[in-house]
Amino acid sequence: MTVNMGMIDRLLRAIVGAGLIYWALTGGPIWTWIGVVPLLTAGIGFCPAYTLLGIKTCSTKS
């Protein structure tokens, strides 16, 4: 799998994902468990939706 997410994108996803999971653990609504998805994609650096849409936020070496 190739990386298609830049560091800022990964950092923001990790923060949002962790925040949603924290909210879920402290009694938030069930939908807040969706925070697992951005946390996982930040961890591996690959977003399947970016591939489908042709988006790449990481810098490429020339």
Side-chain angles (χ1 to χ4, degrees), residues 15-39:
I15 291 169
V16 169
L20 285 170
I21 291 171
Y22 175 77
W23 187 14
L25 290 171
T26 58
I30 192 76
W31 64 265
T32 55
W33 283 105
I34 196 73
V36 171
V37 174
L39 196 59

Side-chain angles (χ1 to χ4, degrees), residues 5-53:
M5 292 171 45
M7 288 307 293
I8 294 173
D9 191 1
R10 292 174 77 171
L11 179 65
L12 290 174
R13 283 175 185 251
I15 291 169
V16 169
L20 285 170
I21 291 171
Y22 175 77
W23 187 14
L25 290 171
T26 58
I30 192 76
W31 64 265
T32 55
W33 283 105
I34 196 73
V36 171
V37 174
L39 196 59
L40 286 175
T41 58
I44 62 173
F46 178 78
C47 178
Y50 278 10
T51 302
L52 293 173
L53 298 173

